[in-house]
Amino acid sequence: MTHTVLHVQNLGKCYYQHASLSSRLLHWLGLRQPQGKHYWANQDINFTVPAGQAVAIIGQNGAGKSTLLKMITGTVRPSAGQVQVHGRISAMLELGLGFNPEFTGRQNAYMAGGLMGFSQPQLDALMPEIESFADIGEFFEQPLRVYSSGMQARLAFAVATAVRPDVLIVDEILSVGDSYFQHRSFDRIRQFKEQGTSIILVTHSMGDVRSLCDHVILLDQGKVLKQGAADEVVDYYN
């Protein structure tokens, strides 16, 4: 029986536009309910991801996809509900996130790998494979500030997938790369899926969704409008 690696229950994120600085401060300190305008970036989100399943999250810009991913990875705290993760998550959310523009590709790979919990000896062993997969040649020893967005995506993907995670989250980042690298990246994603990694993919490419994903969640104005089999939800969305 396949076990669950991710369980999202009644998840919501509310942002407040505080009426004053003192209102914001008292809210932060937990001394007063916020006063002013508020809006829900996500509300009442529920889904479960079994091991080895690929899930696409689709919807228009501003539908709440990125906020949802940030709550799953723990970089944003939910206002309601909960996220249960069983295993190690590797996420690629924003281009250059966690990278230092003055560090070389190699230095950034060591730093990002350290933040992912890998030891120095582990990273020493992984580094040749990271360098090889990124395939950016002499730029691996150059500072990140001279990289194109495609090179940054190559480096980020090589680091994030150096060791197969239990859950791999990819948010649009591959769309900045060239078609050759996108092809290699999706080959690795498919390979991970076959080996039991769960994939959560945010993309505007319905071709990628149909070819890779088993389950699709359509978000609209922060809520789940429809979820189910890939072809069914993509047809509805189109």
Side-chain angles (χ1 to χ4, degrees):
M1 185 177 163
T2 308
H3 67 282
T4 297
V5 291
L6 178 67
H7 184 56
V8 172
Q9 191 174 13
N10 303 327
L11 197 64
K13 179 61 184 178
C14 186
Y15 287 103
Y16 294 96
Q17 194 175 356
H18 292 275
S20 65
L21 190 60
S22 59
S23 166
R24 180 192 294 262
L25 188 61
L26 290 168
H27 178 219
W28 278 353
L29 295 171
L31 300 175
R32 185 198 288 175
Q33 284 299 306
Q35 296 173 325
K37 294 178 184 173
H38 69 278
Y39 84 96
W40 288 86
N42 289 123
Q43 201 169 6
D44 298 326
I45 309 274
N46 291 280
F47 63 92
T48 298
V49 182
Q53 187 180 66
V55 176
I57 300 173
I58 63 173
Q60 302 289 339
N61 290 334
K65 304 185 295 292
S66 293
T67 304
L68 174 57
L69 294 191
K70 286 173 183 171
M71 287 192 285
I72 291 170
T73 56
T75 54
V76 165
R77 204 165 74 180
S79 306
Q82 59 179 339
V83 176
Q84 293 176 318
V85 181
H86 306 283
R88 189 176 72 81
I89 285 186
S90 185
M92 298 168 56
L93 299 185
E94 290 171 36
L95 202 56
L97 189 69
F99 282 167
N100 185 322
E102 298 305 319
F103 285 6
T104 66
R106 185 181 301 277
Q107 289 168 327
N108 271 299
Y110 270 104
M111 182 177 71
L115 292 172
M116 288 164 67
F118 297 124
S119 67
Q120 182 81 21
Q122 281 177 304
L123 287 167
D124 289 341
L126 290 170
M127 205 51 59
E129 164 58 21
I130 290 172
E131 183 176 1
S132 170
F133 195 87
D135 194 20
I136 53 176
E138 62 192 29
F139 281 96
F140 199 64
E141 308 299 347
Q142 301 285 330
L144 197 78
R145 59 182 156 74
V146 303
Y147 283 30
S148 66
S149 55
M151 286 178 193
Q152 286 189 47
R154 284 174 175 238
L155 181 63
F157 189 85
V159 173
T161 61
V163 172
R164 185 177 72 80
D166 298 295
V167 183
L168 176 64
I169 298 179
V170 184
D171 181 9
E172 288 292 357
I173 193 171
L174 296 179
S175 62
V176 301
D178 56 82
S179 58
Y180 169 68
F181 185 70
Q182 285 175 10
H183 183 72
R184 286 179 67 217
S185 302
F186 273 96
D187 277 351
R188 178 168 276 192
I189 289 171
R190 283 191 185 90
Q191 194 180 354
F192 279 0
K193 186 187 170 198
E194 285 165 11
Q195 293 168 349
T197 293
S198 299
I199 313 293
I200 298 179
L201 181 71
V202 168
T203 180
H204 285 105
S205 167
M206 294 304 116
D208 291 343
V209 171
R210 286 185 195 270
S211 70
L212 182 73
C213 297
D214 314 292
H215 189 83
V216 178
I217 298 165
L218 172 58
L219 291 186
D220 184 52
Q221 297 182 346
K223 294 184 177 181
V224 175
L225 187 61
K226 189 175 180 65
Q227 63 174 311
D231 284 340
E232 181 190 337
V233 181
V234 169
D235 287 344
Y236 178 87
Y237 180 56
N238 287 335

